[in-house]
Amino acid sequence: MTKIAMFRKIIFTNRNLINPAKSCKTAAITFITASFIIFPAIATAKPYLKGNPANVNPPLAGAVYNLGGGGTDVDGAIQWMINNARGCEKCSSKVDVVIIRAAGSDAYNQPISEMDGVDSVETLVITSKSDANTPSVVEAVKNAEVIFFAGGDQCKYVENFQNTKLEKAVESVSARGGAVGGTSAGAMIQSDFVYNSCLSNIESRDALDDPYRDIDFTYNFLPWVNLKYTVVDTHFDKRDRMGRLMAFTARQVQDGKAKSALGIGVSEATSVVVDRNGIAKVIGKGSAYFVLADHLPKVCEKGKPLSYADFKIWKVNNGETFNLRNYPQKGYYLRSVDRGRIDSNPY
């Protein structure tokens, strides 16, 4: 178990044993009910800071990105973000890290604060657009060098963060040469075409049977140059998500969003880190799958099963790389979908 996984487990357990916040909430509800008082809604962003509150503002060497596949976090990939943002390893330069999440608490703070080169870690729990436009939240994000989105629900992320000051603040970190990443839903929102799961968390068999039913995408969210024309999916082979990633990429071509679309499927306990030159490297226990739809589908229509000939698939293992600016001309295998069925094992 990694340090991050261990601390997340400890904090979750302790919160279930003793939860002062829950007791306070119960007391507040009792008081309000007895007094017949209704209070207006206010912003509820919760900050948790560990380390030096001052802004260090070092020179940066990115922009770089980290796409975590969910499950156990890859500590080495988060350390990679820190090192590649500051442009060195085991050096004196330090960075401020901000964790963004839509629910939960500060489970990341302790383990990340112990990583090399970290000056501070601040977790921001942001549950609304009002939170995402709060000046203190925006300032904390703008001053960070490393941003990491926790897992959860990508629909909440896009609904609460798109077209807010927070979104612009995250983009400013990348523009300064910082690092941005996330795990599970936090990784999926990094792609150019975001499967937002707002209609349904679709499974592969249903996506292949109808690539339009209960499938929606968010566009023009985080505009990372080295992730242009991509769709990221996570928990990949464990939850058998190859079929739905095929449907997602075929949709982008069919709908005219791109002439070709690249799916990036990341296994659990695995990360794909992307350097400033667009070289993606796999770090962790599993593999990443790069799935290319580079021509129009034979059939991709609402209410009909998908038919697509020859998806190109590269399986990339720990320590191996993939060039996101110039896709490899070899090393792939082909898989086709005929009337909603993949012709052979796609993994």
Side-chain angles (χ1 to χ4, degrees), residues 125-205:
V125 182
I126 302 170
T127 61
S128 68
K129 277 190 178 290
S130 178
D131 290 350
N133 285 307
T134 300
S136 60
V137 167
V138 175
E139 189 69 13
V141 172
K142 285 176 65 177
N143 288 339
E145 287 71 50
V146 177
I147 305 293
F148 189 81
F149 289 85
D153 182 352
Q154 62 265 31
C155 183
K156 290 182 179 179
Y157 280 144
V158 297
E159 286 188 340
N160 291 336
F161 299 167
Q162 190 173 32
N163 299 322
T164 64
K165 293 178 180 179
L166 171 66
E167 180 190 0
K168 295 302 180 185
V170 173
E171 291 172 6
S172 75
V173 174
S174 175
R176 283 168 43 220
V180 182
T183 185
S184 189
M188 294 174 72
I189 63 170
Q190 308 302 322
S191 56
D192 194 14
F193 312 131
V194 180
Y195 167 62
N196 58 40
S197 75
C198 292
L199 299 177
S200 174
N201 192 13
I202 203 78
E203 294 187 4
S204 283
R205 63 176 180 272

Side-chain angles (χ1 to χ4, degrees), residues 56-328:
V56 293
N57 195 28
L60 297 176
V64 298
Y65 308 98
N66 174 16
L67 311 174
T72 303
D73 290 287
V74 183
D75 294 2
I78 297 175
Q79 183 67 66
W80 182 96
M81 293 175 69
I82 295 165
N83 293 343
N84 281 269
R86 59 189 179 143
C88 58
E89 297 181 18
K90 303 295 182 182
C91 57
S92 60
S93 180
K94 292 186 179 294
V95 297
D96 294 320
V97 181
V98 167
I99 310 298
I100 298 175
R101 58 194 316 159
S105 190
D106 61 349
Y108 280 101
N109 282 23
Q110 181 65 35
I112 292 181
S113 71
E114 296 177 357
M115 292 184 177
D116 184 56
V118 174
D119 188 64
S120 71
V121 186
E122 184 168 12
T123 293
L124 301 172
V125 182
I126 302 170
T127 61
S128 68
K129 277 190 178 290
S130 178
D131 290 350
N133 285 307
T134 300
S136 60
V137 167
V138 175
E139 189 69 13
V141 172
K142 285 176 65 177
N143 288 339
E145 287 71 50
V146 177
I147 305 293
F148 189 81
F149 289 85
D153 182 352
Q154 62 265 31
C155 183
K156 290 182 179 179
Y157 280 144
V158 297
E159 286 188 340
N160 291 336
F161 299 167
Q162 190 173 32
N163 299 322
T164 64
K165 293 178 180 179
L166 171 66
E167 180 190 0
K168 295 302 180 185
V170 173
E171 291 172 6
S172 75
V173 174
S174 175
R176 283 168 43 220
V180 182
T183 185
S184 189
M188 294 174 72
I189 63 170
Q190 308 302 322
S191 56
D192 194 14
F193 312 131
V194 180
Y195 167 62
N196 58 40
S197 75
C198 292
L199 299 177
S200 174
N201 192 13
I202 203 78
E203 294 187 4
S204 283
R205 63 176 180 272
D206 298 318
L208 290 171
D209 283 342
D210 185 346
Y212 286 84
R213 185 178 64 240
D214 295 334
I215 299 174
D216 197 17
F217 299 94
T218 294
Y219 300 100
N220 304 314
F221 188 34
L222 299 173
W224 310 143
V225 172
N226 286 328
L227 292 172
K228 196 168 181 62
Y229 307 128
T230 63
V231 186
V232 174
D233 207 351
T234 57
H235 303 277
F236 197 64
D237 45 8
K238 184 174 182 179
R239 300 186 185 178
D240 187 20
R241 288 181 164 173
M242 181 67 80
R244 78 176 199 174
L245 190 56
M246 288 174 163
F248 295 167
T249 55
R251 271 279 306 271
Q252 308 315 311
V253 179
Q254 179 66 37
D255 294 348
K257 300 298 182 180
K259 291 182 178 179
S260 66
L262 182 72
I264 304 176
V266 191
S267 301
E268 292 188 0
T270 306
S271 284
V272 173
V273 294
V274 182
D275 73 13
R276 59 189 291 178
N277 298 314
I279 303 300
K281 181 179 180 179
V282 176
I283 303 176
K285 295 181 178 180
S287 302
Y289 297 83
F290 295 83
V291 183
L292 181 64
D294 60 0
H295 54 271
L296 283 168
K298 182 179 178 181
V299 178
C300 185
E301 300 177 26
K302 185 175 179 60
K304 293 184 179 181
L306 176 68
S307 288
Y308 189 102
D310 294 340
F311 286 99
K312 293 176 181 174
I313 304 173
W314 293 262
K315 181 178 181 179
V316 182
N317 299 314
N318 177 49
E320 298 175 345
T321 62
F322 185 93
N323 192 328
L324 290 170
R325 291 188 184 177
N326 296 290
Y327 303 155

Side-chain angles (χ1 to χ4, degrees), residues 324-344:
L324 290 170
R325 291 188 184 177
N326 296 290
Y327 303 155
Q329 297 302 304
K330 57 184 180 179
Y332 59 81
Y333 53 94
L334 302 175
R335 291 294 183 269
S336 297
V337 177
D338 182 39
R339 289 170 289 184
R341 298 296 176 262
I342 303 173
D343 59 357
S344 60

